Amino acid sequence: QVQVVESGGGLVQAGGSLRLSCAASGRTFSRYAMGWFRQAPGKEREFVAAISWVGGRTYYADSAKGRFTISRDNAKNTVYLEMNSLKPEDTAVYYCAAAALPRSSGLGSAKGYDYWGQGTQVTVSS
């Protein structure tokens, strides 16, 4: 069992930056792929970014490429999402998720994850 807890959300003006953190419990954190998803009001949850089990390979949604950076610190059991050049359309609840094993759905799908946090609100004002 893995528990993940997000933090770092808040209110920021368009063009600003935020860094989200996701702390995970468990001694085998490095064995989990980690992902970030977001859900805006009235919309489905969508993939933002992911980082693989080993090697730290990263994946991004088109909307995040060039603006967001996902990274992990296995010594701290933490994954980060650095968000720059934020836009009002980035406003959403951001969720962190952990994936124990590869699945055919891949890391770009919510079905590829086993454990989810409660989310942290990010609001970008225009």
Side-chain angles (χ1 to χ4, degrees), residues 100-113:
L101 294 171
R103 294 176 180 168
S104 59
S105 53
L107 293 178
S109 169
K111 296 178 180 180
Y113 295 83

Side-chain angles (χ1 to χ4, degrees), residues 18-37:
L18 278 176
R19 188 175 80 157
L20 305 183
S21 299
C22 172
S25 65
R27 293 175 292 178
T28 58
F29 172 75
S30 62
R31 299 181 185 178
Y32 289 85
M34 302 297 294
W36 287 96
F37 288 73

Side-chain angles (χ1 to χ4, degrees), residues 54-124:
V54 294
R57 185 171 181 178
T58 57
Y59 308 85
Y60 295 94
D62 288 342
S63 60
K65 288 179 182 176
R67 299 189 301 128
F68 294 2
T69 302
I70 188 171
S71 62
R72 67 189 300 162
D73 185 338
N74 289 338
K76 295 182 178 180
N77 281 16
T78 301
V79 63
Y80 305 97
L81 184 67
E82 185 76 35
M83 304 186 294
N84 299 312
S85 302
L86 283 162
K87 306 174 183 179
E89 50 263 44
D90 294 318
T91 295
V93 177
Y94 283 70
Y95 297 91
C96 178
L101 294 171
R103 294 176 180 168
S104 59
S105 53
L107 293 178
S109 169
K111 296 178 180 180
Y113 295 83
D114 304 284
Y115 306 103
W116 292 83
Q118 294 300 307
T120 184
Q121 177 70 46
V122 171
T123 303
V124 184

